[in-house]
Amino acid sequence: FTKYIDPKLHLNLTEGEISHGFVYLTRLLRAHFGKKVFVLMDNYDAYVHSLIFEEPDDSVVSFVQSVNTALLTPSKYVQGALLVGVLRVTGSGLSLPEVHIEDYFFMGDHNFSGFHGLNDKELEPVLVKIIEDKKEREMIHSRIQEYYNGYTVMNKEIKIYNTKSVLKCIQTRQVKSYWHLPKYIKMFQSVFTSPDVMHIVMEMVLGNTMEVDITGPLKEKEILMLNHIVGSAIVQSE
């Protein structure tokens, strides 16, 4: 396994060795601990997400698919997996194998919804531990509640605050949106100049209800359509 972690040796790995590297790791873990491995994968859809804003590359998509298929297909080494991502691409053939994968909506009413961040009860002890001055602590607490307002768990009176945003606010004493970074502002400006998108946004700003289907996973054709919209908008803005 040294060739996978040595900075000099891993540059010479073949495509086959890379695509099955995680499988090899699960074999070693299974042998060492004497039990099957449970895989935790964050941002499992990162490359699929990037396809919206970059030129699609079939070879890379195929490679990512092969890596995930090899790792996540049930075997004598893997017990199960928990995947966290932004887009619902399960079974779309873009990044995941179509085997034994169950979707859970973000902030849906499920057993692990509370692990997405800090709830109101958890927020106060964090502030007490970090900010000694009561007046300042109450001000920061109020600012966090007013600005972020928390994500609401479906069917429950529970609000969840993004852990990173809260800690950043405590550190800098400022509230900022994740999407306020220059790269995201530029990205969304190009999208919002599209007439169709602009119309929907304006309707929502005016208080009108817009229906959006979020029940089905994102398919390849939708990814390519979004890529086309973004690409066209960027060209027009330039």
Side-chain angles (χ1 to χ4, degrees), residues 79-132:
Q79 176 70 34
L82 175 63
L83 315 177
V84 181
V86 177
L87 305 173
R88 293 192 66 219
V89 293
T90 301
S92 65
L94 287 169
S95 69
L96 293 172
E98 300 184 25
V99 289
H100 307 295
I101 295 177
E102 186 172 351
D103 285 320
Y104 291 91
F105 283 109
F106 174 67
M107 300 317 300
D109 185 5
H110 44 68
N111 292 335
F112 43 86
S113 59
F115 294 99
H116 287 297
L118 301 171
N119 60 39
D120 283 312
K121 292 182 179 180
E122 295 168 331
L123 180 58
E124 178 63 25
V126 171
L127 293 171
V128 170
K129 186 175 182 179
I130 299 177
I131 304 176
E132 295 182 0

Tab-separated table of all heavy atoms in Angstrom, residues 79-132:
chain	number	residue	atom	x	y	z
A	79	GLN	N	-19.388	-3.329	4.178
A	79	GLN	CA	-20.669	-3.557	4.841
A	79	GLN	C	-21.747	-2.624	4.294
A	79	GLN	O	-22.876	-3.009	4.055
A	79	GLN	CB	-20.516	-3.327	6.347
A	79	GLN	CG	-21.810	-3.440	7.145
A	79	GLN	CD	-22.311	-4.870	7.210
A	79	GLN	OE1	-21.504	-5.805	7.254
A	79	GLN	NE2	-23.609	-5.057	7.210
A	80	GLY	N	-21.379	-1.364	4.106
A	80	GLY	CA	-22.323	-0.369	3.617
A	80	GLY	C	-21.618	0.960	3.454
A	80	GLY	O	-20.398	1.060	3.608
A	81	ALA	N	-22.386	2.010	3.147
A	81	ALA	CA	-21.777	3.319	2.923
A	81	ALA	C	-22.768	4.432	3.217
A	81	ALA	O	-23.983	4.255	3.071
A	81	ALA	CB	-21.282	3.434	1.483
A	82	LEU	N	-22.238	5.569	3.650
A	82	LEU	CA	-23.025	6.783	3.824
A	82	LEU	C	-22.415	7.834	2.916
A	82	LEU	O	-21.252	8.205	3.066
A	82	LEU	CB	-22.994	7.265	5.274
A	82	LEU	CG	-23.698	8.609	5.541
A	82	LEU	CD1	-25.190	8.503	5.228
A	82	LEU	CD2	-23.486	9.054	6.978
A	83	LEU	N	-23.199	8.302	1.951
A	83	LEU	CA	-22.712	9.262	0.964
A	83	LEU	C	-23.408	10.601	1.166
A	83	LEU	O	-24.627	10.657	1.318
A	83	LEU	CB	-22.988	8.760	-0.452
A	83	LEU	CG	-22.669	7.283	-0.726
A	83	LEU	CD1	-23.065	6.916	-2.141
A	83	LEU	CD2	-21.193	7.008	-0.499
A	84	VAL	N	-22.636	11.665	1.155
A	84	VAL	CA	-23.194	13.006	1.324
A	84	VAL	C	-22.823	13.847	0.116
A	84	VAL	O	-21.660	13.879	-0.297
A	84	VAL	CB	-22.648	13.676	2.604
A	84	VAL	CG1	-23.260	15.066	2.776
A	84	VAL	CG2	-22.942	12.819	3.821
A	85	GLY	N	-23.814	14.516	-0.459
A	85	GLY	CA	-23.544	15.334	-1.635
A	85	GLY	C	-24.558	16.442	-1.795
A	85	GLY	O	-25.442	16.635	-0.955
A	86	VAL	N	-24.435	17.171	-2.892
A	86	VAL	CA	-25.303	18.314	-3.175
A	86	VAL	C	-26.443	17.929	-4.105
A	86	VAL	O	-27.586	18.335	-3.917
A	86	VAL	CB	-24.489	19.465	-3.810
A	86	VAL	CG1	-25.404	20.635	-4.165
A	86	VAL	CG2	-23.391	19.929	-2.862
A	87	LEU	N	-26.143	17.138	-5.113
A	87	LEU	CA	-27.126	16.796	-6.136
A	87	LEU	C	-27.654	15.381	-5.965
A	87	LEU	O	-26.953	14.501	-5.471
A	87	LEU	CB	-26.493	16.921	-7.529
A	87	LEU	CG	-25.864	18.269	-7.869
A	87	LEU	CD1	-25.144	18.178	-9.201
A	87	LEU	CD2	-26.918	19.356	-7.911
A	88	ARG	N	-28.893	15.181	-6.386
A	88	ARG	CA	-29.467	13.836	-6.362
A	88	ARG	C	-29.153	13.172	-7.698
A	88	ARG	O	-29.858	13.349	-8.680
A	88	ARG	CB	-30.978	13.898	-6.144
A	88	ARG	CG	-31.389	14.403	-4.777
A	88	ARG	CD	-32.870	14.163	-4.535
A	88	ARG	NE	-33.153	12.741	-4.460
A	88	ARG	CZ	-34.244	12.169	-4.973
A	88	ARG	NH1	-35.131	12.886	-5.610
A	88	ARG	NH2	-34.434	10.873	-4.855
A	89	VAL	N	-28.071	12.427	-7.729
A	89	VAL	CA	-27.656	11.773	-8.968
A	89	VAL	C	-27.629	10.262	-8.818
A	89	VAL	O	-27.062	9.562	-9.631
A	89	VAL	CB	-26.260	12.270	-9.416
A	89	VAL	CG1	-26.325	13.726	-9.811
A	89	VAL	CG2	-25.231	12.067	-8.317
A	90	THR	N	-28.248	9.758	-7.782
A	90	THR	CA	-28.276	8.323	-7.556
A	90	THR	C	-28.884	7.586	-8.742
A	90	THR	O	-29.971	7.918	-9.198
A	90	THR	CB	-29.104	7.994	-6.299
A	90	THR	OG1	-28.519	8.663	-5.197
A	90	THR	CG2	-29.113	6.509	-6.034
A	91	GLY	N	-28.158	6.592	-9.226
A	91	GLY	CA	-28.685	5.770	-10.309
A	91	GLY	C	-28.687	6.446	-11.663
A	91	GLY	O	-29.218	5.922	-12.620
A	92	SER	N	-28.083	7.626	-11.768
A	92	SER	CA	-28.102	8.340	-13.039
A	92	SER	C	-27.020	7.862	-13.991
A	92	SER	O	-26.981	8.254	-15.140
A	92	SER	CB	-27.911	9.844	-12.792
A	92	SER	OG	-26.621	10.089	-12.258
A	93	GLY	N	-26.108	7.029	-13.489
A	93	GLY	CA	-25.018	6.561	-14.333
A	93	GLY	C	-23.887	7.557	-14.429
A	93	GLY	O	-22.928	7.351	-15.155
A	94	LEU	N	-23.980	8.656	-13.674
A	94	LEU	CA	-22.958	9.688	-13.748
A	94	LEU	C	-21.850	9.487	-12.726
A	94	LEU	O	-20.697	9.765	-12.998
A	94	LEU	CB	-23.589	11.069	-13.539
A	94	LEU	CG	-24.418	11.585	-14.715
A	94	LEU	CD1	-25.212	12.805	-14.300
A	94	LEU	CD2	-23.516	11.934	-15.881
A	95	SER	N	-22.203	9.046	-11.541
A	95	SER	CA	-21.147	8.919	-10.535
A	95	SER	C	-21.310	7.727	-9.613
A	95	SER	O	-20.409	7.410	-8.863
A	95	SER	CB	-21.089	10.187	-9.679
A	95	SER	OG	-22.231	10.278	-8.870
A	96	LEU	N	-22.458	7.073	-9.653
A	96	LEU	CA	-22.691	5.987	-8.708
A	96	LEU	C	-23.226	4.737	-9.387
A	96	LEU	O	-23.950	4.820	-10.375
A	96	LEU	CB	-23.701	6.431	-7.642
A	96	LEU	CG	-23.247	7.532	-6.690
A	96	LEU	CD1	-24.422	7.988	-5.851
A	96	LEU	CD2	-22.137	7.034	-5.794
A	97	PRO	N	-22.892	3.591	-8.851
A	97	PRO	CA	-23.475	2.355	-9.385
A	97	PRO	C	-24.942	2.268	-8.984
A	97	PRO	O	-25.341	2.796	-7.957
A	97	PRO	CB	-22.652	1.263	-8.693
A	97	PRO	CG	-22.219	1.894	-7.407
A	97	PRO	CD	-21.972	3.346	-7.745
A	98	GLU	N	-25.732	1.619	-9.792
A	98	GLU	CA	-27.160	1.520	-9.506
A	98	GLU	C	-27.438	0.302	-8.630
A	98	GLU	O	-28.150	-0.616	-9.018
A	98	GLU	CB	-27.940	1.461	-10.821
A	98	GLU	CG	-27.718	2.688	-11.699
A	98	GLU	CD	-28.569	2.660	-12.958
A	98	GLU	OE1	-29.622	2.014	-12.960
A	98	GLU	OE2	-28.166	3.285	-13.942
A	99	VAL	N	-26.860	0.290	-7.443
A	99	VAL	CA	-27.041	-0.863	-6.562
A	99	VAL	C	-27.330	-0.434	-5.135
A	99	VAL	O	-26.572	0.299	-4.525
A	99	VAL	CB	-25.788	-1.771	-6.574
A	99	VAL	CG1	-25.653	-2.492	-7.893
A	99	VAL	CG2	-24.528	-0.972	-6.290
A	100	HIS	N	-28.452	-0.839	-4.619
A	100	HIS	CA	-28.774	-0.746	-3.196
A	100	HIS	C	-28.478	0.627	-2.584
A	100	HIS	O	-27.857	0.719	-1.524
A	100	HIS	CB	-28.009	-1.824	-2.418
A	100	HIS	CG	-28.196	-3.202	-2.964
A	100	HIS	ND1	-29.414	-3.845	-2.963
A	100	HIS	CD2	-27.320	-4.055	-3.559
A	100	HIS	CE1	-29.276	-5.042	-3.515
A	100	HIS	NE2	-28.026	-5.188	-3.888
A	101	ILE	N	-28.909	1.680	-3.241
A	101	ILE	CA	-28.687	3.027	-2.713
A	101	ILE	C	-30.033	3.682	-2.448
A	101	ILE	O	-30.905	3.707	-3.310
A	101	ILE	CB	-27.869	3.890	-3.693
A	101	ILE	CG1	-26.463	3.305	-3.850
A	101	ILE	CG2	-27.783	5.328	-3.205
A	101	ILE	CD1	-25.599	4.038	-4.842
A	102	GLU	N	-30.200	4.199	-1.249
A	102	GLU	CA	-31.451	4.836	-0.862
A	102	GLU	C	-31.225	6.326	-0.630
A	102	GLU	O	-30.262	6.723	0.025
A	102	GLU	CB	-32.000	4.197	0.415
A	102	GLU	CG	-33.378	4.701	0.805
A	102	GLU	CD	-33.978	3.915	1.952
A	102	GLU	OE1	-33.387	2.873	2.323
A	102	GLU	OE2	-35.027	4.331	2.476
A	103	ASP	N	-32.122	7.147	-1.188
A	103	ASP	CA	-31.997	8.602	-1.068
A	103	ASP	C	-32.644	9.117	0.209
A	103	ASP	O	-33.692	8.625	0.636
A	103	ASP	CB	-32.687	9.299	-2.251
A	103	ASP	CG	-31.875	9.179	-3.526
A	103	ASP	OD1	-30.648	9.290	-3.439
A	103	ASP	OD2	-32.472	8.981	-4.594
A	104	TYR	N	-32.026	10.145	0.788
A	104	TYR	CA	-32.619	10.869	1.904
A	104	TYR	C	-32.509	12.357	1.607
A	104	TYR	O	-31.418	12.863	1.347
A	104	TYR	CB	-31.886	10.561	3.216
A	104	TYR	CG	-32.096	9.153	3.714
A	104	TYR	CD1	-31.220	8.135	3.349
A	104	TYR	CD2	-33.172	8.838	4.543
A	104	TYR	CE1	-31.412	6.837	3.796
A	104	TYR	CE2	-33.367	7.542	4.998
A	104	TYR	CZ	-32.487	6.547	4.617
A	104	TYR	OH	-32.675	5.260	5.058
A	105	PHE	N	-33.640	13.045	1.625
A	105	PHE	CA	-33.627	14.478	1.356
A	105	PHE	C	-32.859	15.223	2.439
A	105	PHE	O	-32.924	14.878	3.620
A	105	PHE	CB	-35.053	15.040	1.298
A	105	PHE	CG	-35.768	14.731	0.018
A	105	PHE	CD1	-36.818	13.824	0.000
A	105	PHE	CD2	-35.399	15.341	-1.162
A	105	PHE	CE1	-37.488	13.533	-1.175
A	105	PHE	CE2	-36.063	15.059	-2.346
A	105	PHE	CZ	-37.108	14.152	-2.351
A	106	PHE	N	-32.164	16.270	2.017
A	106	PHE	CA	-31.484	17.141	2.970
A	106	PHE	C	-32.516	17.744	3.916
A	106	PHE	O	-33.535	18.269	3.492
A	106	PHE	CB	-30.745	18.256	2.219
A	106	PHE	CG	-30.124	19.289	3.118
A	106	PHE	CD1	-29.073	18.949	3.951
A	106	PHE	CD2	-30.598	20.582	3.131
A	106	PHE	CE1	-28.494	19.894	4.784
A	106	PHE	CE2	-30.023	21.543	3.954
A	106	PHE	CZ	-28.971	21.196	4.783
A	107	MET	N	-32.265	17.641	5.199
A	107	MET	CA	-33.152	18.128	6.250
A	107	MET	C	-34.494	17.409	6.264
A	107	MET	O	-35.490	17.932	6.765
A	107	MET	CB	-33.377	19.641	6.151
A	107	MET	CG	-32.110	20.469	6.277
A	107	MET	SD	-30.982	19.909	7.581
A	107	MET	CE	-31.984	20.044	9.021
A	108	GLY	N	-34.534	16.224	5.688
A	108	GLY	CA	-35.740	15.419	5.786
A	108	GLY	C	-35.887	14.876	7.201
A	108	GLY	O	-34.952	14.902	8.005
A	109	ASP	N	-37.054	14.383	7.522
A	109	ASP	CA	-37.332	13.870	8.859
A	109	ASP	C	-36.809	12.436	8.971
A	109	ASP	O	-37.549	11.473	8.846
A	109	ASP	CB	-38.842	13.919	9.122
A	109	ASP	CG	-39.188	13.519	10.551
A	109	ASP	OD1	-38.244	13.307	11.343
A	109	ASP	OD2	-40.385	13.418	10.864
A	110	HIS	N	-35.498	12.319	9.189
A	110	HIS	CA	-34.895	11.000	9.338
A	110	HIS	C	-33.966	10.992	10.553
A	110	HIS	O	-33.717	12.034	11.164
A	110	HIS	CB	-34.144	10.582	8.074
A	110	HIS	CG	-33.299	11.664	7.475
A	110	HIS	ND1	-32.166	12.158	8.082
A	110	HIS	CD2	-33.432	12.367	6.316
A	110	HIS	CE1	-31.624	13.091	7.329
A	110	HIS	NE2	-32.369	13.252	6.262
A	111	ASN	N	-33.448	9.846	10.896
A	111	ASN	CA	-32.700	9.681	12.148
A	111	ASN	C	-31.435	10.521	12.241
A	111	ASN	O	-30.988	10.857	13.343
A	111	ASN	CB	-32.330	8.205	12.350
A	111	ASN	CG	-33.541	7.337	12.612
A	111	ASN	OD1	-34.558	7.825	13.098
A	111	ASN	ND2	-33.451	6.057	12.293
A	112	PHE	N	-30.823	10.858	11.120
A	112	PHE	CA	-29.566	11.590	11.182
A	112	PHE	C	-29.682	13.035	10.713
A	112	PHE	O	-28.683	13.683	10.424
A	112	PHE	CB	-28.479	10.877	10.363
A	112	PHE	CG	-28.934	10.367	9.023
A	112	PHE	CD1	-28.923	11.186	7.907
A	112	PHE	CD2	-29.364	9.062	8.897
A	112	PHE	CE1	-29.334	10.711	6.671
A	112	PHE	CE2	-29.779	8.574	7.662
A	112	PHE	CZ	-29.765	9.390	6.554
A	113	SER	N	-30.904	13.576	10.650
A	113	SER	CA	-31.078	14.968	10.216
A	113	SER	C	-30.386	15.953	11.159
A	113	SER	O	-29.913	17.006	10.743
A	113	SER	CB	-32.568	15.312	10.105
A	113	SER	OG	-33.220	15.128	11.350
A	114	GLY	N	-30.306	15.594	12.442
A	114	GLY	CA	-29.691	16.488	13.411
A	114	GLY	C	-28.189	16.606	13.298
A	114	GLY	O	-27.579	17.500	13.900
A	115	PHE	N	-27.581	15.737	12.509
A	115	PHE	CA	-26.127	15.763	12.377
A	115	PHE	C	-25.640	16.692	11.264
A	115	PHE	O	-24.446	16.753	10.988
A	115	PHE	CB	-25.600	14.342	12.123
A	115	PHE	CG	-25.802	13.417	13.288
A	115	PHE	CD1	-26.870	12.533	13.317
A	115	PHE	CD2	-24.942	13.450	14.371
A	115	PHE	CE1	-27.064	11.680	14.392
A	115	PHE	CE2	-25.124	12.603	15.458
A	115	PHE	CZ	-26.191	11.723	15.469
A	116	HIS	N	-26.564	17.407	10.634
A	116	HIS	CA	-26.172	18.328	9.566
A	116	HIS	C	-25.571	19.620	10.110
A	116	HIS	O	-25.028	20.420	9.353
A	116	HIS	CB	-27.376	18.669	8.680
A	116	HIS	CG	-27.797	17.544	7.784
A	116	HIS	ND1	-26.990	17.038	6.797
A	116	HIS	CD2	-28.946	16.829	7.719
A	116	HIS	CE1	-27.613	16.063	6.163
A	116	HIS	NE2	-28.799	15.912	6.703
A	117	GLY	N	-25.687	19.852	11.410
A	117	GLY	CA	-25.147	21.085	11.978
A	117	GLY	C	-25.510	21.218	13.442
A	117	GLY	O	-25.697	20.223	14.142
A	118	LEU	N	-25.617	22.459	13.909
A	118	LEU	CA	-25.946	22.741	15.305
A	118	LEU	C	-27.398	23.187	15.419
A	118	LEU	O	-27.844	24.049	14.660
A	118	LEU	CB	-25.042	23.858	15.846
A	118	LEU	CG	-23.528	23.607	15.822
A	118	LEU	CD1	-22.781	24.886	16.168
A	118	LEU	CD2	-23.159	22.502	16.794
A	119	ASN	N	-28.133	22.610	16.367
A	119	ASN	CA	-29.489	23.099	16.589
A	119	ASN	C	-29.464	24.204	17.642
A	119	ASN	O	-28.408	24.545	18.188
A	119	ASN	CB	-30.431	21.959	17.001
A	119	ASN	CG	-29.984	21.268	18.281
A	119	ASN	OD1	-29.514	21.914	19.217
A	119	ASN	ND2	-30.127	19.951	18.330
A	120	ASP	N	-30.622	24.780	17.943
A	120	ASP	CA	-30.686	25.909	18.874
A	120	ASP	C	-30.141	25.551	20.258
A	120	ASP	O	-29.470	26.358	20.906
A	120	ASP	CB	-32.134	26.408	18.997
A	120	ASP	CG	-32.550	27.251	17.797
A	120	ASP	OD1	-31.781	28.153	17.431
A	120	ASP	OD2	-33.625	27.004	17.236
A	121	LYS	N	-30.433	24.344	20.721
A	121	LYS	CA	-29.973	23.931	22.044
A	121	LYS	C	-28.458	23.757	22.086
A	121	LYS	O	-27.828	23.981	23.119
A	121	LYS	CB	-30.664	22.624	22.447
A	121	LYS	CG	-32.157	22.769	22.707
A	121	LYS	CD	-32.759	21.451	23.157
A	121	LYS	CE	-34.241	21.603	23.446
A	121	LYS	NZ	-34.862	20.317	23.885
A	122	GLU	N	-27.878	23.355	20.971
A	122	GLU	CA	-26.430	23.145	20.914
A	122	GLU	C	-25.675	24.446	20.677
A	122	GLU	O	-24.497	24.568	21.030
A	122	GLU	CB	-26.098	22.149	19.802
A	122	GLU	CG	-26.650	20.749	20.047
A	122	GLU	CD	-26.570	19.872	18.816
A	122	GLU	OE1	-26.629	20.422	17.691
A	122	GLU	OE2	-26.467	18.642	18.971
A	123	LEU	N	-26.349	25.414	20.072
A	123	LEU	CA	-25.700	26.678	19.730
A	123	LEU	C	-25.292	27.470	20.968
A	123	LEU	O	-24.181	28.012	21.036
A	123	LEU	CB	-26.638	27.510	18.850
A	123	LEU	CG	-26.124	28.878	18.384
A	123	LEU	CD1	-24.822	28.724	17.602
A	123	LEU	CD2	-27.185	29.563	17.523
A	124	GLU	N	-26.166	27.535	21.953
A	124	GLU	CA	-25.902	28.323	23.158
A	124	GLU	C	-24.650	27.858	23.906
A	124	GLU	O	-23.783	28.687	24.244
A	124	GLU	CB	-27.128	28.287	24.075
A	124	GLU	CG	-26.957	29.036	25.386
A	124	GLU	CD	-26.729	30.523	25.206
A	124	GLU	OE1	-27.162	31.063	24.162
A	124	GLU	OE2	-26.114	31.143	26.095
A	125	PRO	N	-24.479	26.563	24.199
A	125	PRO	CA	-23.265	26.109	24.895
A	125	PRO	C	-21.982	26.422	24.129
A	125	PRO	O	-20.946	26.704	24.737
A	125	PRO	CB	-23.473	24.593	25.018
A	125	PRO	CG	-24.949	24.402	24.944
A	125	PRO	CD	-25.429	25.453	23.996
A	126	VAL	N	-22.053	26.367	22.802
A	126	VAL	CA	-20.879	26.685	21.986
A	126	VAL	C	-20.497	28.146	22.175
A	126	VAL	O	-19.318	28.482	22.357
A	126	VAL	CB	-21.156	26.397	20.490
A	126	VAL	CG1	-20.010	26.929	19.629
A	126	VAL	CG2	-21.340	24.913	20.253
A	127	LEU	N	-21.492	29.020	22.163
A	127	LEU	CA	-21.238	30.449	22.343
A	127	LEU	C	-20.703	30.741	23.744
A	127	LEU	O	-19.789	31.554	23.919
A	127	LEU	CB	-22.526	31.242	22.097
A	127	LEU	CG	-23.048	31.234	20.652
A	127	LEU	CD1	-24.430	31.870	20.585
A	127	LEU	CD2	-22.095	31.968	19.729
A	128	VAL	N	-21.261	30.076	24.743
A	128	VAL	CA	-20.818	30.277	26.128
A	128	VAL	C	-19.359	29.868	26.295
A	128	VAL	O	-18.584	30.525	26.999
A	128	VAL	CB	-21.707	29.466	27.102
A	128	VAL	CG1	-21.102	29.470	28.506
A	128	VAL	CG2	-23.115	30.039	27.129
A	129	LYS	N	-18.989	28.795	25.635
A	129	LYS	CA	-17.628	28.282	25.764
A	129	LYS	C	-16.601	29.193	25.102
A	129	LYS	O	-15.455	29.307	25.564
A	129	LYS	CB	-17.553	26.882	25.150
A	129	LYS	CG	-16.220	26.184	25.356
A	129	LYS	CD	-16.270	24.761	24.829
A	129	LYS	CE	-14.954	24.036	25.077
A	129	LYS	NZ	-14.989	22.632	24.595
A	130	ILE	N	-16.999	29.863	24.026
A	130	ILE	CA	-16.040	30.649	23.245
A	130	ILE	C	-16.072	32.141	23.585
A	130	ILE	O	-15.030	32.792	23.642
A	130	ILE	CB	-16.297	30.449	21.733
A	130	ILE	CG1	-16.130	28.968	21.369
A	130	ILE	CG2	-15.344	31.304	20.907
A	130	ILE	CD1	-16.431	28.648	19.926
A	131	ILE	N	-17.267	32.677	23.824
A	131	ILE	CA	-17.403	34.115	24.080
A	131	ILE	C	-17.743	34.336	25.555
A	131	ILE	O	-18.837	33.986	26.009
A	131	ILE	CB	-18.501	34.736	23.183
A	131	ILE	CG1	-18.197	34.459	21.709
A	131	ILE	CG2	-18.598	36.243	23.431
A	131	ILE	CD1	-19.266	34.954	20.754
A	132	GLU	N	-16.833	34.922	26.291
A	132	GLU	CA	-17.018	35.103	27.734
A	132	GLU	C	-18.002	36.225	28.061
A	132	GLU	O	-18.827	36.092	28.959
A	132	GLU	CB	-15.669	35.390	28.401
A	132	GLU	CG	-14.686	34.231	28.313
A	132	GLU	CD	-13.389	34.534	29.035
A	132	GLU	OE1	-13.264	35.653	29.597
A	132	GLU	OE2	-12.500	33.664	29.045
